[in-house]
Amino acid sequence: MRRRTKIVATLGPASAEPGVLREMLRAGLDVVRLNLSHGDHATHRRLLASARAAAAELGVCLAVMPDLQGPKIRIEGFRRGPVRLAAGEPFALDVALAADAGDEQVVGVSYKQLPEDVAPGDILLLADGLIRLKVARVRGSRVETTVLVGGELSDAKGLNRFGGGLSVAALTDKDREDIRFCAEIGADYMAVSFPRDGADIEQARRLLREAGGDAGIVAKIERREALDNLDEIMEMADAVMIARGDLAVEIGDEELAGVQKDLMRRARARDCVVITATQMMQSMVSSPTPTRAEVLDVGNAVLDDTDAVMLSEETAVGAHPARVLEAMARVCAGTERYQRFAAHHEDATSGYRYMDEAIAKASIDTANRLGARAIAALTESGATALWMSRIGTELPIFAFTRHEATRRKVALYRGVYPLALDVAEADHARVNRQVLERLREEGVLSQGDLLVLSKGDLAGVKGGTNTMKILRLEERPGEAPSA
């Protein structure tokens, strides 16, 4: 059985060597992430060139997703290295302080509007929530706090307010430069960090299109404001990423599991792709095997129908980048064997917005009920395959398309497998035979197997899917498969 859940892995020093990349691809890598918070454009170009060369060598369809740094609010630096904060002691954040003038009493902050955005009683979180401060008063450029939970604090650690609400814009000047870079390298997806609402996603897409890029937009859900505006974000984005690190800091660990499940449900209901990310196999940065808790975390996301699971430090700087891919793929595939899809059929009373959407979802329902062996979509943009992947099925969905960019884009969709075929062929019977023959070569179909196929009367027209056909692979001595 083919693994339905896709795997996104971050490239970095640990995965830079071509031999390591080939091992990762053989282990099941579907999408590479370029973390633009680290490294320069030249470094990322080299990593990407190596990844694409390895994929071409192995004949693997590999999608590329740069991840914008975004406006993560950080403290500045300390004059004499890290300091230790003790519970009950005062500590100040001063936006007017020089970048390297911090000490045990005060540190600078890169976000100059901080004094306007906080009030006495607010809880501020540093270093991914490990250190907690309570705002006592605001005096000019200085926010005076009391340490609630102390610890060691070093340069450039992240700063959040519990419950969210810091009003920093989603796109920085660096992000605007990086968006142009995304267009230049032909990215398939672009992840936008810390969006607040649909307008932030719309702005990112506009800037990317102006730069000549055509990537899908991935909205990283990591702010409380994003949860408040989730419907409009999903309407504007092509995918959402549950970025559990900063999100947990803003909403609290106790809410994270429930929010993750609710977000998954809402994303699938809105035909939005969803990626689950952050510390999924964190122990494998150094350990050769995952913990049982990590296995269950990955498995739980699979059971909730995530499209993809993501690795960050594990493959960027970890000791076992290929091994963690193998472990992730093994857990996904093993969990999928226990999934049941009867409850995932769409509500019969719900309407369809488009003709091709209706054909796509009817094809899945027919294939599920008919006992077909597989589903195939002849597609230009990949939209038909996306809609098919939203309804539960254990059957593989094959997206046949002549466009390499479409093949890479559908590589992120759960249960969808891209295959090259010139679907602009005018002879429909010949196309049917080509599809059947290709799936036989792939080991998907055997003699007598049924295939549900969706396509358009006008081949090669985007959005033109209007036909569902049921085909059977039948052979007679000396003859090709027939439809």
Side-chain angles (χ1 to χ4, degrees), residues 30-99:
D30 298 293
V31 182
V32 291
R33 171 179 175 252
L34 303 176
N35 186 357
L36 301 183
S37 296
H38 304 285
D40 56 21
H41 289 175
T43 299
H44 289 300
R45 284 185 192 276
R46 287 194 296 272
L47 285 170
L48 180 55
S50 294
R52 282 175 166 164
E57 179 184 334
L58 296 176
V60 173
C61 183
L62 181 68
V64 176
M65 183 183 72
D67 191 334
L68 303 181
Q69 177 174 301
K72 181 155 185 166
I73 299 171
R74 299 180 185 274
I75 62 169
E76 300 285 11
F78 294 93
R79 185 181 302 116
R80 292 182 295 273
V83 301
R84 181 162 289 278
L85 306 185
E89 294 296 316
F91 187 71
L93 305 169
D94 194 332
V95 299
L97 195 69

Side-chain angles (χ1 to χ4, degrees), residues 314-327:
E314 301 96 327
T315 52
V317 298
H320 315 283
R323 185 172 290 180
V324 72
L325 254 296
E326 293 170 356

